[in-house]
Amino acid sequence: MKISAADMRESDFSGSTFNGAYLEKAVAYKANFTGADLSDTLMDRMVLNEANLTDAVLVRSVLTRSDLGGAIIHGADFSDAILDLPQKQALCKYANGTNPITGVSTRSSLGCGNSKRNAYGSPSSPLLSAPPQKLLNRDGFCDDGSGLCDAK
């Protein structure tokens, strides 16, 4: 589903499935996404001011350059979602609750208070992600010469 630059203001999408949809540049001011599945959704440059994202699943969603000012995010799961750092920091100031579907807390899904998660980047930059547990050789086996084979 591709919805580009749509006017979705004050619409009720509670319980809807947008899994894998393209919603870039849409305006969803005060829209209700309570319990909606927005996982794997491209929500680039979207206006979500005061939107209700209570218990929504936004796993692996892309929310770059989107505005979530005043959004209700109680119980929303943002695991592996890509958000601009200032937006993520703003949401962390009031993030709370646990998603009833995934069991993940909103704060942990945003990486709030977790300096390692923020320091290593995002899923979109795997080379900047946390270092590998073991250094493998070109055949996929642990390289004893690296000294990292027994890393924990």
Side-chain angles (χ1 to χ4, degrees), residues 54-122:
T54 302
D55 299 333
V57 179
L58 296 110
V59 175
R60 295 178 306 275
S61 292
V62 177
L63 291 145
T64 50
R65 296 178 57 199
S66 292
D67 189 353
L68 285 93
I72 302 164
I73 59 169
H74 177 82
D77 184 352
F78 290 91
S79 296
D80 297 322
I82 301 171
L83 292 96
D84 297 325
L85 185 58
Q87 186 68 75
K88 183 186 289 191
Q89 290 169 334
L91 293 174
C92 282
K93 290 180 181 177
Y94 64 93
N96 64 359
T98 300
N99 188 281
I101 297 161
T102 64
V104 176
S105 81
T106 301
R107 289 189 61 75
S108 67
S109 72
L110 284 166
C112 302
N114 184 347
S115 59
K116 281 189 178 180
R117 181 172 183 157
N118 291 335
Y120 288 121
S122 67

